[in-house]
């Protein structure tokens, strides 16, 4: 989230009640600036740290700056419980309320009674047990993700038109997804096709939310950067922590050998 665009959005929509900040690809948003703006406007801040468990902003975990933080334990995340996630907050009263809603809004009564709409969002004890086990390997996973990024940088970094996602001076990333942009003759579609031929999955960088058809009818405030990255060249490379050196070499060889040095 661009702090500058956020300021502009508040000028346009001063009635806004909450801001959702997303930490993308294992990097963190500029939380000092964003929190300062949000405090000035007295709004709740929800951090979407689904992709950034293990990432620090100026030495503090992402997801712990705002009023609430959310994490994902979906199968593609740095640790997983197979599915589900976690809501964190320092506000015990609000967490208790969230837990109440998440467990079907059951009133304090011997019989089943509901005075409010509820949801069945609870995490089972089995899944929670898997999550506690996974948390123990988080540091190892971050180290492996970093290894994968360094491998790609070493092998692909010197190629014409290839640039790796930069990180900011405040970041201590979890390196969740190794991403590049392509500005030379080789286009993202060439990379997707070459990898697909070898049965290797890769993807474009995320389509910006305001370009999603569902959000067509809503306004957007921004600087055009996410559009540019999406339209001109963002590629997410395979980054799973189970990848072996042979797997990484196969990806690199398919890209480098197949497209640059054919
Ligand atoms: C930034 C971000 N927010 C939210 C989600 C959704 O998480 P989940 O799949 O656990 O609902 C994801 C990933 O899937 C994500 O990358």
């Amino acid at each position: 989230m661009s702090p500058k665009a956020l300021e502009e959005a508040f000028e346009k929509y001063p009635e806004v009640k909450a801001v959702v900040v997303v930490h993308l690809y294992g990097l963190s948003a500029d939380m000092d600036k964003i929190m300062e703006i949000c405090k000035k406007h007295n709004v709740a801040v929800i951090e979407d740290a689904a992709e950034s468990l293990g990432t620090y902003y100026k030495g503090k975990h992402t997801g712990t700056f705002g009023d609430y933080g959310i994490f994902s334990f979906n199968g593609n995340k740095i640790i997983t419980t197979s599915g589900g996630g976690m809501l964190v907050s320092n506000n015990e009263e609000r967490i208790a309320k969230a837990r109440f809603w998440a467990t079907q809004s059951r009133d304090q009564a011997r019989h089943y009674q509901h005075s409010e709409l509820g949801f069945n969002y609870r995490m089972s004890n089995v899944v929670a047990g898997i999550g506690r086990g996974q948390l123990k390997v988080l540091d190892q996973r971050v180290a492996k993700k970093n290894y994968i990024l360094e491998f790609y940088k070493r092998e692909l970094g010197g190629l014409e038109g290839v640039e790796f996602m930069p990180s900011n001076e405040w970041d201590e990333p979890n390196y969740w997804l190794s991403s590049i942009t392509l500005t030379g003759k080789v286009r993202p579609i060439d990379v997707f096709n070459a990898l697909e031929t070898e049965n290797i999955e890769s993807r474009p960088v995320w389509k910006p939310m305001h370009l999603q058809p569902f959000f067509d009818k809503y306004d957007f405030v921004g600087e055009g950067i996410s559009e540019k990255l999406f339209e001109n060249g963002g590629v997410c490379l395979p980054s799973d922590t189970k990848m072996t050196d042979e797997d990484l070499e196969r990806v690199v060889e398919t890209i480098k050998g197949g497209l640059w040095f054919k």
Side-chain angles (χ1 to χ4, degrees):
M1 176 177 280
S2 152
K4 189 164 152 261
L6 182 62
E7 285 272 29
E8 269 172 52
F10 272 120
E11 275 162 30
K12 228 167 157 186
Y13 301 103
E15 71 281 12
V16 161
K17 300 276 190 299
V19 168
V20 181
V21 188
V22 187
H23 302 291
L24 278 177
Y25 303 109
L27 301 180
S28 76
D30 190 356
M31 290 313 291
D32 281 351
K33 283 196 190 141
I34 289 170
M35 289 305 293
E36 193 187 318
I37 298 165
C38 289
K39 281 209 176 97
K40 195 167 78 192
H41 292 275
N42 198 24
V43 294
V45 177
I46 302 154
E47 284 178 81
D48 180 340
E51 300 176 8
S52 70
L53 181 62
T55 299
Y56 296 82
Y57 172 82
K58 297 186 182 174
K60 191 170 182 283
H61 276 291
T62 52
T64 63
F65 290 83
D67 299 278
Y68 306 92
I70 71 101
F71 296 88
S72 168
F73 300 134
N74 189 31
N76 65 347
K77 297 305 185 296
I78 194 151
I79 60 168
T80 181
T81 59
S82 78
M86 175 168 78
L87 171 73
V88 300
S89 173
N90 283 332
N91 188 323
E92 279 182 37
E93 202 180 305
R94 293 191 180 175
I95 281 290
K97 187 75 195 198
R99 190 174 282 127
F100 171 76
W101 285 325
T103 49
Q104 301 155 324
S105 294
R106 280 160 63 177
D107 292 343
Q108 293 252 344
R110 197 178 296 278
H111 50 276
Y112 284 98
Q113 178 173 297
H114 312 272
S115 309
E116 279 185 61
L117 180 64
F119 303 85
N120 193 2
Y121 286 168
R122 73 196 135 195
M123 179 179 267
S124 78
N125 51 359
V126 174
V127 161
I130 295 169
R132 285 169 62 97
Q134 288 269 296
L135 263 179
K136 291 186 180 159
V137 298
L138 178 59
D139 290 346
Q140 275 166 256
R141 296 275 168 92
V142 172
K144 180 65 189 279
K145 292 278 190 186
N146 191 11
Y147 176 86
I148 292 169
L149 177 66
E150 290 303 320
F151 193 105
Y152 283 137
K153 275 189 175 168
R154 205 167 50 241
E155 297 292 333
L156 305 175
L159 300 177
E160 194 252 318
V162 173
E163 244 182 79
F164 278 81
M165 184 171 66
S167 79
N168 297 295
E169 74 282 0
W170 60 70
D171 268 318
E172 211 178 301
N174 71 359
Y175 310 99
W176 177 58
L177 209 48
S178 290
S179 305
I180 53 173
T181 51
L182 297 173
T183 52
K185 280 196 210 90
V186 175
R187 299 157 309 154
I189 188 72
D190 304 321
V191 174
F192 302 140
N193 287 341
L195 290 173
E196 200 165 77
T197 312
E198 288 296 311
N199 207 18
I200 301 170
E201 189 184 356
S202 62
R203 281 178 195 275
V205 293
W206 305 154
K207 182 166 188 168
M209 292 292 268
H210 63 283
L211 299 184
Q212 295 292 348
F214 182 78
F215 291 114
D216 253 1
K217 54 186 176 294
Y218 298 102
D219 191 14
F220 164 71
V221 180
E223 300 164 314
I225 293 169
S226 57
E227 293 92 323
K228 228 185 268 167
L229 287 171
F230 177 66
E231 279 154 19
N232 307 327
V235 176
C236 300
L237 297 168
S239 310
D240 193 280
T241 50
K242 291 186 295 304
M243 289 177 81
T244 60
D245 278 8
E246 291 73 46
D247 293 333
L248 290 166
E249 259 151 35
R250 201 156 78 86
V251 173
V252 160
E253 200 34 51
T254 306
I255 295 176
K256 196 159 67 168
L259 299 170
W260 267 267
F261 303 118
K262 10 179 215 208

